[in-house]
Amino acid sequence: HSMLPRHVQRLGRDWITHWNGSQILTLNSPVSSCMRWAGHYPPWVSFPLPISADFSANWRFPPFFGPWRQFQNSNWHLDSYTQSCCFHLPTPSMKSEGEEPLTKKRRLSAQDGTSAPEQETNLSNQKEVSCLSVAKNEEKHGSKKGTIKRHWEYFCQRSKTMKIAKNKGCDQSSTGSEATFDFTVMSYNILSQNLLEDNSHLYKHCRQRLLFWTYRFPNILQEIKELDADVLCLQEVQEDHYRTEIKSSLESLGYHCEYKMRTGRKPDGCAICFKTSKFSLISSNPVEFFRRDIPLLDRDNVGLVLLLQPRFHCKANAAICIANTHLLYNPRRGDIKLTQLAMLLAEIASVAPQKDGFFCPIIICGDFNSVPGSPLYRFIKEGKLNYEGLAIGKVSGQEQFPRGQRILSIPIWPKKLGISQNCVYEIKQQQKEENAGEKLEAANPDNTQEIVLASEKLSSKLRHHFKLSSVYSHYFPETGVPEVTTCHSRSAVTVDYIFYSAANDDTAAQPGAEDSFCGGLKLLGRLALLTEKDLWTVNGLPNENNSSDHLPLLAEFRLIER
């Protein structure tokens, strides 16, 4: 820390105390907040503040404590921490950043410039560091210490306006001409234990006993039980944990589970689980994004697409397509992200068509490693993207100052992938074009060649044929503060989404692509997200009660068939 600015060194020397090895001192004092303010630290600080592992010999009380005698006689006690300030110290004993996977090394080197090597230790042998997380307003955030209460937001459909209510007190009944089926869907990145241990620098703010799988899994399972979704889309599901306990635990709750493991060395994958009392399985379609013969597709991410049939109140041929994925993290490889997304959309386009030629309603869940408003996000929502001149580092919007400056090639992926710029498999695209060409030639034979040439010139335009809306609006309407779906030591941002094909009269939906659906989905409600400030009142994620670094997303839908 000798290279830090002098005022930062004084922070570590003057404002940090060491009391009985607990690394926390809490005082019954008028200080109103924690020494580490959530989201309000200066740009030159690497968060959490770097502190020497051997600072205990140099500490002294901060000036505001007054003379030692006065402090010694003051009325203070440790058990009053819920009304006092807390000094939170990062533990220096976490696993070295030098031992991280290559992709994470690249990420850190650009964010921090350099990273000081730390002594490598095994996670299971580390000393537990005592730290306290205090909710500033327990009455507001929930009655249980260290928890934040998330409320349901219900959408009331009246005339052509949308109203958000915290109580399900509005009329959500459908007209007599519609057959309805209500169900809930959760998307949840549960944080693979293997990835947690490989990237322990992201969890320096956590008490280490909270990071063990034996502590985390019961919490995650309890969360799933309490939210009681009809469909679960889970990411970062570690294969050995899935095989030994996750699958059997979910089956005991009435779920049928489908799982797709990543194709490389990382032993996690995606799972879709649905309640057999609500749905039956029509088909399960895994998607592998790795292609040995295509250098661009050298990453082991996967997706999973299920076609489900509702059991009640619907026509015999009713179906819902549920997709789940976890796209590549690397902020500088937007070309890979877009190609992976196109492969998922192509699989959905092959699974979702019905006999009448329309798509069945579609829900796409996952961790897309892209932020709201980014080109990749807009492509999903708007159904089109002109990527000509777009730098690969700007595709996902993860970095404020992107380092990937190479421009996307046209086309992004080679023809031998077998997926068109409309994100459908080439065979089906060719059949469509042949049928359209025959009709066009019969109607106007002179202009056919001009239209074909025009389509070739527009090869930098990606399209898909789904009308998709996002369940969440990504900003709180009253304040404009961003919603957050993941929060750890390095960032707090939205990367997780639930997209759905909205019915024409769904006033909660945002404008999307062309309407090629028979009926659709109406968003009835959603479990509200939180701000970064909210999450740091319970010491970020994971914490004592929330055992992933992501929040679960949860929405209630109504299936509408005309």
Side-chain angles (χ1 to χ4, degrees):
H1 64 283
S2 60
M3 297 182 67
L4 291 171
R6 185 170 298 173
H7 51 292
V8 181
Q9 295 180 40
R10 291 197 62 185
L11 278 176
R13 187 174 65 250
D14 294 347
W15 290 71
I16 308 296
T17 63
H18 187 80
W19 190 261
N20 286 339
S22 66
Q23 292 192 352
I24 290 181
L25 176 62
T26 57
L27 303 173
N28 189 13
S29 69
V31 181
S32 62
S33 63
C34 185
M35 278 305 304
R36 184 201 56 184
W37 296 274
H40 298 285
Y41 47 91
W44 40 264
V45 175
S46 175
F47 181 72
L49 286 172
I51 298 164
S52 170
D54 189 26
F55 63 86
S56 58
N58 300 320
W59 71 268
R60 57 193 172 105
F61 283 107
F64 65 77
F65 287 149
W68 165 247
R69 180 64 56 189
Q70 182 179 341
F71 168 74
Q72 192 177 26
N73 296 331
S74 64
N75 179 24
W76 69 275
H77 36 88
L78 193 60
D79 59 5
S80 64
Y81 67 86
T82 55
Q83 298 169 349
S84 68
C85 68
C86 70
F87 296 150
H88 182 124
L89 308 185
T91 169
S93 61
M94 299 293 281
K95 187 174 178 181
S96 165
E97 290 181 9
E99 297 301 315
E100 293 151 14
L102 184 59
T103 55
K104 294 290 183 181
K105 284 184 187 175
R106 293 192 191 116
R107 176 189 181 194
L108 291 172
S109 63
Q111 286 183 346
D112 296 341
T114 59
S115 59
E118 300 173 332
Q119 184 178 0
E120 182 181 354
T121 55
N122 193 315
L123 186 64
S124 61
N125 295 328
Q126 293 167 11
K127 291 182 180 179
E128 180 181 332
V129 177
S130 175
C131 68
L132 305 174
S133 57
V134 183
K136 292 182 182 177
N137 188 341
E138 287 196 80
E139 186 177 357
K140 175 182 177 183
H141 295 305
S143 58
K144 190 177 177 183
K145 288 180 181 179
T147 64
I148 297 181
K149 190 175 181 181
R150 295 172 65 187
H151 63 267
W152 270 90
E153 296 175 333
Y154 290 97
F155 295 88
C156 303
Q157 315 289 340
R158 289 175 180 167
S159 302
K160 292 189 176 180
T161 62
M162 178 187 70
K163 183 179 179 182
I164 300 178
K166 292 187 181 180
N167 297 314
K168 197 172 184 179
C170 51
D171 180 18
Q172 295 172 339
S173 60
S174 57
T175 64
S177 62
E178 297 174 349
T180 63
F181 174 79
D182 295 355
F183 63 101
T184 53
V185 176
M186 176 197 289
S187 181
Y188 194 8
N189 182 327
I190 65 172
L191 180 57
S192 157
Q193 189 67 21
N194 181 268
L195 292 176
L196 181 156
E197 293 175 8
D198 283 349
N199 301 287
S200 57
H201 63 282
L202 300 179
Y203 312 107
K204 289 181 179 180
H205 61 286
C206 300
R207 298 170 63 183
Q208 290 177 31
R209 73 175 181 86
L210 307 184
L211 299 179
F212 298 125
W213 179 248
T214 51
Y215 182 92
R216 294 177 54 233
F217 178 60
N219 267 0
I220 292 169
L221 188 61
Q222 183 60 31
E223 209 166 10
I224 290 173
K225 284 181 183 177
E226 289 177 357
L227 294 176
D228 195 32
D230 298 314
V231 180
L232 307 174
C233 291
L234 306 177
Q235 303 90 40
E236 291 194 22
V237 180
Q238 193 162 308
E239 192 274 336
D240 57 334
H241 293 156
Y242 174 78
R243 181 170 24 87
T244 57
E245 50 191 333
I246 295 176
K247 185 173 186 284
S248 58
S249 297
L250 294 178
E251 286 176 343
S252 70
L253 298 177
Y255 291 98
H256 171 84
C257 303
E258 294 288 324
Y259 178 70
K260 175 57 184 173
M261 183 180 168
R262 287 164 73 165
T263 52
R265 294 182 178 179
K266 293 178 183 176
D268 65 285
C270 294
I272 301 179
C273 313
F274 60 88
K275 285 193 173 176
T276 55
S277 60
K278 298 276 282 192
F279 297 96
S280 59
L281 180 64
I282 299 174
S283 67
S284 178
N285 309 274
V287 185
E288 296 182 356
F289 298 143
F290 174 80
R291 296 293 174 88
R292 193 177 302 277
D293 58 335
I294 300 177
L296 173 69
L297 296 174
D298 60 350
R299 308 305 164 95
D300 60 3
N301 307 82
V302 295
L304 186 60
V305 182
L306 264 57
L307 196 62
L308 302 179
Q309 182 171 13
R311 288 194 181 273
F312 304 117
H313 310 305
C314 290
K315 298 175 183 177
N317 61 348
I320 300 173
C321 181
I322 308 282
N324 183 23
T325 192
H326 188 179
L327 298 185
L328 177 70
Y329 164 77
N330 192 333
R332 286 152 292 173
R333 294 308 304 265
D335 51 347
I336 299 178
K337 291 175 190 274
L338 282 172
T339 307
Q340 290 180 346
L341 177 60
M343 295 170 74
L344 182 72
L345 293 172
E347 186 62 28
I348 295 170
S350 72
V351 170
Q354 302 295 280
K355 292 179 181 178
D356 56 9
F358 290 99
F359 290 118
C360 71
I362 293 166
I363 296 174
I364 307 177
C365 299
D367 180 344
F368 290 82
N369 277 314
S370 301
V371 303
S374 64
L376 186 144
Y377 173 87
R378 293 200 313 269
F379 173 53
I380 296 173
K381 286 275 302 294
E382 298 170 7
K384 58 186 178 181
L385 174 67
N386 186 352
Y387 60 87
E388 185 175 4
L390 180 62
I392 59 172
K394 294 182 178 180
V395 169
S396 64
Q398 291 164 278
E399 295 179 329
Q400 188 176 0
F401 304 103
R403 290 160 289 156
Q405 298 299 326
R406 180 167 59 84
I407 302 301
L408 287 168
S409 60
I410 303 176
I412 298 173
W413 56 83
K415 192 171 180 63
K416 67 178 175 179
L417 180 60
I419 294 175
S420 74
Q421 297 284 288
N422 290 327
C423 298
V424 297
Y425 292 125
E426 286 283 9
I427 297 172
K428 295 192 175 184
Q429 177 72 12
Q430 287 171 5
Q431 290 173 349
K432 242 182 184 180
E433 287 175 355
E434 286 171 7
N435 294 336
E438 289 172 5
K439 292 178 183 177
L440 188 65
E441 194 171 353
N444 194 349
D446 298 330
N447 293 337
T448 305
Q449 188 63 30
E450 294 175 14
I451 291 171
V452 170
L453 290 172
S455 67
E456 289 175 358
K457 292 177 184 176
L458 300 177
S459 60
S460 65
K461 291 185 178 180
L462 294 180
R463 291 181 62 85
H464 68 74
H465 299 290
F466 309 129
K467 178 188 176 184
L468 298 175
S469 292
S470 172
V471 163
Y472 290 92
S473 52
H474 315 310
Y475 297 89
F476 289 92
E478 305 87 359
T479 61
V481 175
E483 297 172 337
V484 163
T485 68
T486 181
C487 179
H488 50 63
S489 293
R490 291 298 174 97
S491 69
V493 72
T494 286
V495 293
D496 306 277
Y497 303 93
I498 301 177
F499 297 104
Y500 69 104
S501 52
N504 290 331
D505 60 347
D506 182 15
T507 53
Q510 303 95 343
E514 62 191 64
D515 184 10
S516 55
F517 292 85
C518 181
L521 297 168
K522 181 180 288 187
L523 179 62
L524 300 182
R526 66 192 179 197
L527 186 62
L529 286 170
L530 301 168
T531 66
E532 178 182 2
K533 185 177 179 182
D534 289 333
L535 287 170
W536 281 119
T537 65
V538 290
N539 202 38
L541 296 173
N543 56 52
E544 190 168 340
N545 299 291
N546 309 97
S547 286
S548 174
D549 59 349
H550 292 248
L551 291 172
L553 281 58
L554 183 62
E556 183 177 9
F557 296 104
R558 171 165 291 164
L559 174 64
I560 298 173
E561 292 189 306
R562 301 296 181 187

